[in-house]
Amino acid sequence: MGKSFKESLQTFALNQVYKYLEGNPEENIPKIMTWVDRLCPEDYYKKARALIHKEIDEKSNWYQLILKLYDLDPQVRKAIFQNFLINATLKGSVTQKEVAAREGCNVPWAMLVDPTSACNLHCTGCWAAEYGNKLNLSINDLDSIINQGNDLGVYMYLYTGGEPLVRKRDLMKICEMHSDCEFGSFTNGTLIDEDFCQELLRVRNFVPIISLEGFEEANDSRRGAGVYQKVNHAMELLKEHHLPFGISICYTSANYDVVSSEEFIDYLIDCGALFVWFFHYMPVGADAVPALLTTPEQRVTVCKRIREYRKTKAIFSIDFQNDAPFVGGCIAGGRYYFHINAKGDIEPCAFVHYSDSNIHKDTLLQALKNPLFMAYHDNQPFNENLYRPCPMLENPSKLRMMVKESGAISTDYQNPESTEQLCSKTEPYAQNWKPTADKLWEEELEKKAANK
């Protein structure tokens, strides 16, 4: 069976399932699983099917989360289904694997792009401030990035900054130009208003990801007085308009307890958030505060709480540092994603500000095959203990080696930071984390052995 015919058949089947579910999801989800059981060979994904049946029968948190999707605007939901599930995940992944095999390099599932380095806030410890506030990618730059990405099989794009919504109109124009792609944007949320919600309903393929650092006192101590109330208003508007959104949390030694508390997770669910992404604080740049790095005990607390919430809370959560064992380690360097800053420099990670490529002189494929990205490709995973995934935070000698051997330069345009300066802040952390990480990894291996 040819690839294109097989893809067409899968797409047709998924679209038929989608139409059927739209009629009455609560009644029809169990029926679809009954059909799957009848059509599949008895042993085909038997454990997975049994787990899905269990979730449905118990009306679990995951089942409730699926039903929450049917509270969304129908046309927005349809765009997510087409662009995220079919284009980015089904169709795109096939092309990504083909290009990666042919070219011998990483090809990502998603790209992070900074439309601008400008921002309307001045948050304490913001790594994006290291770029300055006057850089922008043009509409033509963004269009070229996405066209090249489509050729690689990439249909998922996340905007970072700066504050991307400073350029609302341009981002909406890009949504129109690339209606087959799904876009998300990390945002401080203060520029989300009624008019913007109407624009989101019109373009249908843009999802805000609002940064929040805890309740009012914790959030505003970093982001400025009044920001928490503005974010609450933004979430109210998005919920009223049946628009999807998520939350991005940077957890530190100062806020880890609050942002990982059950009270805070329940608050996010009540506000209407569908997902929450946790990012470990990274001491990037001259103004970084190493004291904000978590202790091993604090990091483990966050990890354990999030894993418990996945069993009970109707919100999709990712802990990007501690979930590395589920994805085989570091996802940067084009393995699952990479980052393009507002000057066009192509970086392996949003937190690793070094580059040997730029969109104005290299194609995206050339960048993936240039020395820095190939160093990521050839060295991943950076540690056989997947609780120590990052080449900066937990394996600083690896980052120093890759930057030096590739000839990459600092993309911190305000105060260029050498890897020696950066890694001097992460070396103590790496040493302190190692005993705890080794214990966690040993427990992980024992668990896997017991389940075989």
Side-chain angles (χ1 to χ4, degrees):
M1 184 182 294
K3 185 194 78 173
S4 58
F5 177 75
K6 186 177 180 181
E7 284 181 10
S8 298
L9 193 60
Q10 289 172 326
T11 300
F12 174 77
L14 284 171
N15 276 310
Q16 293 305 110
V17 169
Y18 176 81
K19 290 175 184 177
Y20 184 68
L21 286 175
E22 285 288 296
N24 188 334
E26 195 158 7
E27 181 180 314
N28 292 339
I29 287 173
K31 289 181 180 178
I32 285 175
M33 284 309 302
T34 301
W35 295 345
V36 170
D37 286 340
R38 288 174 182 169
L39 294 170
C40 283
E42 186 178 348
D43 293 330
Y44 192 75
Y45 289 111
K46 190 173 183 179
K47 287 184 179 179
R49 286 189 283 121
L51 179 61
I52 293 171
H53 276 295
K54 182 174 179 289
E55 300 287 336
I56 294 171
D57 292 342
E58 295 178 358
K59 299 197 181 318
S60 73
N61 58 309
W62 291 104
Y63 180 70
Q64 295 302 322
L65 180 58
I66 291 170
L67 291 182
K68 284 172 71 173
L69 297 176
Y70 290 88
D71 291 332
L72 298 178
D73 175 85
Q75 294 304 314
V76 172
R77 181 171 61 248
K78 186 176 181 180
I80 292 173
F81 175 83
Q82 179 65 50
N83 296 347
F84 180 81
L85 183 60
I86 294 180
N87 295 348
T89 304
L90 178 62
K91 184 173 82 172
S93 294
V94 172
T95 303
Q96 291 158 26
K97 289 177 182 177
E98 286 182 347
V99 177
R102 183 180 69 241
E103 302 292 341
C105 63
N106 284 330
V107 175
W109 178 75
M111 291 186 204
L112 269 64
V113 183
D114 296 355
T116 181
S117 63
C119 186
N120 61 323
L121 298 182
H122 303 281
C123 303
T124 303
C126 173
W127 57 262
E130 304 305 318
Y131 296 124
N133 62 2
K134 297 179 180 178
L135 302 173
N136 291 282
L137 294 176
S138 70
I139 284 280
N140 288 338
D141 290 334
L142 294 170
D143 184 43
S144 174
I145 288 167
I146 295 164
N147 283 328
Q148 289 183 63
N150 289 169
D151 290 340
L152 298 173
V154 181
Y155 290 85
M156 186 75 206
Y157 297 87
L158 299 171
Y159 294 121
T160 51
E163 169 52 53
L165 298 193
V166 168
R167 295 183 61 188
K168 290 179 190 178
R169 290 182 182 177
D170 288 342
L171 299 189
M172 295 299 97
K173 185 175 180 180
I174 289 291
C175 284
E176 293 176 290
M177 293 166 66
H178 297 276
S179 59
D180 59 344
C181 294
E182 191 65 26
F183 297 92
S185 180
F186 294 95
T187 173
N188 58 46
T190 61
L191 300 178
I192 295 173
D193 54 18
E194 172 68 28
D195 288 344
F196 186 60
C197 287
Q198 293 299 328
E199 281 293 277
L200 296 183
L201 288 169
R202 182 179 67 82
V203 299
R204 303 171 184 170
N205 57 338
F206 188 100
V207 178
I209 308 164
I210 300 172
S211 297
L212 204 54
E213 311 301 336
F215 292 112
E216 189 163 15
E217 182 180 352
N219 186 77
D220 287 3
S221 67
R222 184 180 181 203
R223 297 189 173 272
V227 171
Y228 179 80
Q229 292 302 327
K230 290 179 180 177
V231 168
N232 268 283
H233 180 59
M235 292 192 290
E236 288 172 3
L237 284 173
L238 292 166
K239 187 176 182 179
E240 285 172 12
H241 289 82
H242 302 280
L243 287 162
F245 69 93
I247 301 295
S248 169
I249 295 172
C250 174
Y251 66 94
T252 71
S253 60
N255 73 352
Y256 82 95
D257 193 40
V258 171
V259 297
S260 65
S261 68
E262 185 171 21
E263 181 187 9
F264 190 66
I265 298 300
D266 287 342
Y267 155 73
L268 297 181
I269 293 171
D270 289 343
C271 287
L274 294 176
F275 58 92
V276 55
W277 293 349
F278 287 83
F279 295 91
H280 191 288
Y281 175 74
M282 300 290 189
V284 178
D287 296 330
V289 184
L292 289 175
L293 287 165
T294 61
T295 66
E297 293 76 20
Q298 291 168 345
R299 178 169 167 176
V300 169
T301 295
V302 173
C303 177
K304 288 185 175 179
R305 286 179 178 177
I306 292 171
R307 293 187 182 187
E308 282 302 310
Y309 298 148
R310 287 179 188 150
K311 301 174 186 176
T312 59
K313 304 295 182 183
I315 190 168
F316 180 69
S317 58
I318 296 178
D319 179 353
F320 278 90
Q321 208 69 22
N322 296 319
D323 282 345
F326 303 133
V327 292
C330 171
I331 64 172
R335 182 165 171 258
Y336 283 103
Y337 93 100
F338 63 77
H339 178 235
I340 302 173
N341 70 27
K343 193 177 180 180
D345 286 326
I346 305 169
E347 303 167 335
C349 175
F351 301 110
V352 175
H353 296 176
Y354 301 95
S355 178
D356 63 356
S357 308
N358 186 284
I359 62 165
H360 302 299
K361 66 180 181 66
D362 303 287
T363 66
L364 298 186
L365 182 57
Q366 285 170 340
L368 289 166
K369 298 177 74 172
N370 279 347
L372 182 57
F373 277 77
M374 286 306 298
Y376 266 75
H377 173 273
D378 295 341
N379 285 280
Q380 288 167 322
F382 295 106
N383 198 303
E384 62 182 27
N385 180 343
L386 299 182
Y387 281 104
R388 298 168 61 198
C390 179
M392 178 181 77
L393 191 63
E394 293 115 348
N395 305 279
S397 63
K398 295 289 180 72
L399 182 63
R400 281 196 295 262
M401 177 268 293
M402 292 190 297
V403 170
K404 181 179 179 180
E405 292 185 358
S406 67
I409 60 172
S410 172
T411 52
D412 177 347
Y413 311 123
Q414 302 299 297
N415 296 290
E417 185 173 45
S418 71
T419 52
E420 290 303 323
Q421 291 169 311
L422 173 61
C423 294
S424 69
K425 293 177 283 189
T426 61
E427 283 279 9
Y429 178 94
Q431 293 171 8
N432 290 339
W433 172 243
K434 182 180 182 301
T436 301
D438 288 346
K439 182 181 177 183
L440 290 172
W441 186 238
E442 187 177 335
E443 292 172 356
E444 193 86 21
L445 294 177
E446 288 174 357
K447 205 179 298 180
K448 286 181 181 177
N451 290 332
K452 280 187 178 179

